[in-house]
Amino acid sequence: MIADLLRVPEELSARVPAEQRGPGLGRDAVRLLVSRGAAEAGHHGFAELPELLAAGDVLVVNTSRTLPAAVDGRIGDGRGRGEPVVVHFSTRGDRWHPAGRTAAGRWAVELRGPDGHGSTRPRAGGPAGTVVRLPGGARLTLEAPVDPGGVRLWWARVTGVRVPELMRRHGRPIRYGYTDRDQPLAAYQTAFAVDAPGGGSAEMPSAARPFTAELVARLVSKGVQFAPVALHTGVASAEAFEPPYPERFVVPPVTAWLVNAARARRGAAARRGRAAGGAPAGRIVAVGTTAVRALESAAGADGRVRPAAGWTDLVVTPERGVRAVDGLLTGLHEPTASHLLMLEAVASAAAGAAAGEMLRGAYAEAVRGRYLWHEFGDLHLVLPD
C-alpha cells in the first residue's frame, strides 16, 4: 500500500483555491498527473484534458451541490457557558436507509471542537442524550452512533428548525485546518452542481472543481460526452482506511444509456480492430470517487448499467473490482484514505497486476513534483493503457 511507503509533506496541502494563487488564474490552473497503464506518470496542466481524451469518451460527473454543513453550537445551559462545538451535518437519514428506523428523521452528524484559528479539531461524539444548542433556539440531541463500534458519527434529532433552513441561515462550508481561511460557499460548488430537493453533499465532489465553462465547451467540441449522476456525500473519513458510510445516489436513465452505448461501441470497434494504434474511444472515465461509487452501484455483474436510485453501501475494493468504469479523474488522497482502495481497483482494470506499482510510482512522482493535495489541489488521471 502507498501508506507503507509515502509521507506527504504538510506544505503540499493546497491552502487556497487555484484562482487565488495569482493574478489572472482560473479554477483550471491546477496540474494533472497522468497514469496510463504501466507507463511512467506524465505531467500536464488540467487545461490539456481535451488532448488526453478522445471523441466518444464519457465523463461521468457528480451533480450534487455542496451544502453549508458546518454550524456553530454549544453543549451547556444556553447562557454562554458550556463547551463550544461545530456541528458537521453529514447525511440526512430516512426510512429507506440501511439502518432502518434508527435513521428515519435523523441526521448523521460529527461534533468537532473549534481550533481557535477558524477551523476545527477532532472530538469524540456522545454520549447518547447529549444536547447541543444551535442558533435560533434549535436543539440537537445525540441518539446513537452511526457505527455501533464508533464514536465519531452519531445519529441526531434536531428540533425547533428544519436543518436545511438552519444551514441556509447559519451554516458555512466545512473547512479543515490545512486551509488558510474561510471561503464563500461558491468556492465549493462545481460547474456541474444542480439543486435537488432534499439533496446536497456535506463536502464538495472536488475532482470536478477545476472544470470551467470554457473547458467543458472544448471537451464537447471534441466529442467527449458528459453523463450525470448524483451521490450526496457525507463528511470525509477521519480514521485510517475507514470505509465510506451509506450515501444516497441517483443514476438516471440517460446516463445508463450513454454508458452502455459507449461500452457497446468500444467493444464493437475493438472486435473490428479499429482501436489499434490510437486511444480507444468510448472509455468511461469517472470524475471523482463519488462518481465511481454511484455508477458502480448501478452496474450489474455483466457491466451493464441500469437506472437506479436510493442508498448505496457499496465499497469498491481491488477484490471487488470495477464493472463499468475504465478510468478515473481524482484528487490526490492521503496515503491512509480508503479512497485509495477504489483507486487501486480502477488502476487494476487499467494496468492489471502492475496497478500497485503504478500507483506507488505515481504518488512518489507527485511528491517529487510538488503536487498539491486536498480539495483545492491538483488532479490525477488514471487511464487504460
Side-chain angles (χ1 to χ4, degrees):
M1 287 297 295
I2 294 173
D4 300 326
L5 302 173
L6 184 69
R7 185 187 69 85
V8 180
E10 184 179 345
E11 64 267 20
L12 296 187
S13 295
R15 301 194 180 280
V16 296
E19 61 272 23
Q20 297 179 17
R21 294 178 200 148
L25 296 180
R27 283 184 171 222
D28 58 353
V30 296
R31 300 166 71 190
L32 181 63
L33 186 72
V34 179
S35 298
R36 197 188 299 270
E40 290 188 4
H43 302 276
H44 299 266
F46 190 77
E48 298 175 64
L49 183 61
E51 284 69 59
L52 298 168
L53 299 176
D57 286 342
V58 177
L59 289 174
V60 182
V61 297
N62 186 1
T63 62
S64 183
R65 179 173 291 275
T66 308
L67 300 171
V71 178
D72 291 328
R74 185 176 291 274
I75 300 172
D77 60 7
R79 300 177 182 174
R81 296 186 293 267
E83 178 191 0
V85 295
V86 179
V87 181
H88 287 181
F89 286 93
S90 179
T91 304
R92 178 181 59 83
D94 58 31
R95 59 193 178 101
W96 295 283
H97 188 280
R101 298 174 68 178
T102 301
R106 277 78 167 176
W107 278 78
V109 303
E110 179 183 13
L111 300 189
R112 294 178 67 90
D115 68 355
H117 303 285
S119 183
T120 60
R121 59 177 180 269
R123 177 197 182 281
T130 297
V131 175
V132 180
R133 298 180 182 273
L134 300 170
R139 291 159 58 103
L140 178 149
T141 304
L142 300 182
E143 295 190 346
V146 171
D147 180 349
V151 297
R152 187 173 71 94
L153 289 178
W154 281 70
W155 289 115
R157 182 180 294 277
V158 178
T159 56
V161 70
R162 295 179 64 251
V163 173
E165 182 66 14
L166 175 73
M167 288 192 286
R168 188 184 69 81
R169 290 185 176 182
H170 303 286
R172 60 186 181 277
I174 288 175
R175 175 194 159 203
Y176 293 108
Y178 51 77
T179 57
D180 273 355
R181 55 185 178 271
D182 285 346
Q183 298 288 341
L185 184 59
Y188 289 87
Q189 304 296 4
T190 74
F192 308 107
V194 297
D195 286 319
S201 290
E203 297 184 10
M204 171 177 57
S206 56
R209 189 184 190 279
F211 283 87
T212 63
E214 179 183 354
L215 184 62
V216 170
R218 288 174 55 208
L219 287 161
V220 171
S221 297
K222 183 163 185 176
V224 175
Q225 297 175 301
F226 287 84
V229 297
L231 187 126
H232 303 298
T233 185
V235 296
S237 300
E239 303 299 328
F241 303 115
E242 181 183 3
Y245 291 93
E247 294 168 319
R248 284 180 294 128
F249 80 105
V250 178
V251 176
V254 65
T255 291
W257 184 86
L258 283 168
V259 169
N260 293 333
R263 289 172 60 85
R265 288 194 302 271
R266 185 181 181 198
R271 288 191 295 272
R272 292 192 298 267
R274 295 180 182 177
R283 295 168 296 186
I284 310 303
V285 180
V287 178
T289 56
T290 60
V292 175
R293 194 182 200 196
L295 194 66
E296 289 291 321
S297 296
D302 59 355
R304 186 169 183 81
V305 175
R306 295 165 176 82
W311 290 91
T312 178
D313 56 5
L314 175 67
V315 179
V316 178
T317 64
E319 293 72 27
R320 189 266 187 190
V322 289
R323 299 169 177 175
V325 172
D326 301 307
L328 174 61
L329 176 66
T330 185
L332 294 164
H333 302 288
E334 290 288 350
T336 58
S338 61
H339 294 306
L340 287 176
L341 297 175
M342 179 185 291
L343 184 59
E344 188 174 347
V346 177
S348 296
E357 182 179 347
M358 178 193 79
L359 289 179
R360 286 191 290 271
Y363 268 63
E365 187 65 23
V367 171
R368 282 194 296 269
R370 312 298 288 174
Y371 279 67
L372 297 180
W373 260 249
H374 301 303
E375 65 266 30
F376 298 135
D378 297 316
L379 276 292
H380 184 200
L381 177 63
V382 178
L383 290 174
D385 198 352

